[in-house]
Structures are given as structure tokens and as C-alpha cells.
Amino acid sequence: GAYATVAAACAEMKDVACVNITMEKMRSVTASKHLDEKIPDSRADLMALSVTAALIDVGEFDAASHLLASIEPPEGEAWKMSIDTEVQLQHVVMLAQQGNFTGARSLALTMRPDEVSDVERGTALRTITLLETKKYGITSSLPWASGLQDAEDRAYALLGIAQAVLEIGDVRLPYNAIQPL
């Protein structure tokens, strides 16, 4: 947990070298702890997602993409789908923040539908329309949002538009690097 906390703090300061060094150290410590199990530690991936969220928050998209690419949860794990969905959400947010709304929409619509315990797809759709409406106005985002077939998808997308129009809402990804190892 301490390494992830340091890495997130480095990310907030836009110190990518510090992030890389700290993440490498965290992964080596985690790997040595679980050497006998011969499987990667899922907690390291969860902590890495907190760090990538911090990098995305400060606009360090290349560093975030590089770190996201290193996250490879083991096959067959129950939480694998959750990690994959979070990785997709972070990619969607990066695309939207960079103004690639078409790419962000395409990726968001491939995400698995929301469940009671997670709302990554809805968050992705809300974020896209919030950022697009802020950048280009409601006439750009409303036709797409109102044309979504799924009622829940449409509600999230329209919520993003409403947040932009009312000038409320945040596009920050939540991150909490303080997690036990």
C-alpha cells in the first residue's frame, strides 16, 4: 500500500519517473511475496489502477496508457472482469479528455452493462457527454445521447449533458492508493 500511495503522490506532481520507479519497486516486492504461488498479485493491479487514475487526472495520458498496458490479471479470476472494465473506463476517460469522442463512444458501448455493484459503463457514457457538451455544446452530444437504445445508457448520457449545462459534475476518476498489501 505504501508504494501505491507514493506512486499516486508522484502522479499528482506529474513526476512520471517517480511513478515508474515506485511502481517497479511495488511489483518486485509483490512478486517476491507471492513467488511460491506463481501467480501475479491482484492487489498490485488494483493499486496500479489507482495510480493510473491519478495520472489521468493530471493529464499524463502516455504514462497512464503505459501503466494500464502492464495490468494483466490472471485468467479465470473472479475479479478479472471488474479489472478489465475499470481499465476500459480509464481508456474511455482518456479518449474523451483528449477530444476523441468517437473513439470514446465506441469503446464505452463495448463495455459490459452496469450491475448493482459497478457502474463503469454508465460513468463512461456520462463522462463522454459531459466533456463533449462542455467542448462543443449540447447540439453535438444530444443527438447521440438521446439515440441510445438502452434506457439506462441513455439516462447516464443525458445526465452528463445536464451536468455540463448546469456546470456541475466532475470528470475525475476516483482513486485511493491507500490499500493494504
Side-chain angles (χ1 to χ4, degrees):
Y3 287 114
T5 302
V6 170
C10 292
E12 289 173 347
M13 296 183 303
K14 296 186 174 191
D15 187 343
V16 175
C18 175
V19 169
N20 292 337
I21 290 166
T22 307
M23 290 303 295
E24 185 67 34
K25 183 68 176 169
M26 181 186 78
R27 288 195 187 276
S28 70
V29 167
T30 302
S32 67
K33 282 184 178 181
H34 298 282
L35 199 55
D36 295 334
E37 298 172 34
K38 294 187 175 32
I39 59 168
D41 183 3
S42 62
R43 290 172 291 190
D45 289 333
L46 292 172
M47 288 185 283
L49 286 171
S50 290
V51 176
T52 56
L55 287 166
I56 292 166
D57 190 44
V58 297
E60 291 289 342
F61 303 124
D62 289 339
S65 292
H66 180 71
L67 187 53
L68 282 172
S70 74
I71 297 173
E72 295 181 22
E75 293 297 323
E77 292 290 332
W79 49 265
K80 181 184 183 330
M81 284 178 40
S82 178
I83 296 252
D84 287 345
T85 305
E86 184 64 31
V87 168
Q88 286 180 303
L89 171 61
Q90 291 192 9
H91 279 295
V92 166
V93 170
M94 281 192 291
L95 288 169
Q97 285 183 342
Q98 295 172 72
N100 183 350
F101 299 111
T102 302
R105 289 175 183 159
S106 294
L107 182 55
L109 292 174
T110 66
M111 294 172 71
R112 72 173 184 194
D114 291 340
E115 296 174 357
V116 174
S117 61
D118 63 65
V119 292
E120 284 87 358
R121 181 177 170 127
T123 300
L125 296 170
R126 180 187 59 80
T127 300
I128 293 165
T129 54
L130 185 140
L131 290 171
E132 184 177 15
T133 303
K134 281 184 174 183
K135 187 166 186 168
Y136 296 118
I138 195 169
T139 57
S140 178
S141 54
L142 185 59
W144 177 77
S146 59
L148 289 168
Q149 296 299 310
D150 183 79
E152 190 171 337
D153 286 350
R154 195 167 50 252
Y156 276 111
L158 292 171
L159 176 61
I161 293 171
Q163 287 180 302
V165 169
L166 297 171
E167 297 180 7
I168 59 172
D170 201 345
V171 294
R172 290 182 63 172
L173 289 163
Y175 62 92
N176 179 9
I178 303 172
Q179 299 176 19
L181 237 182

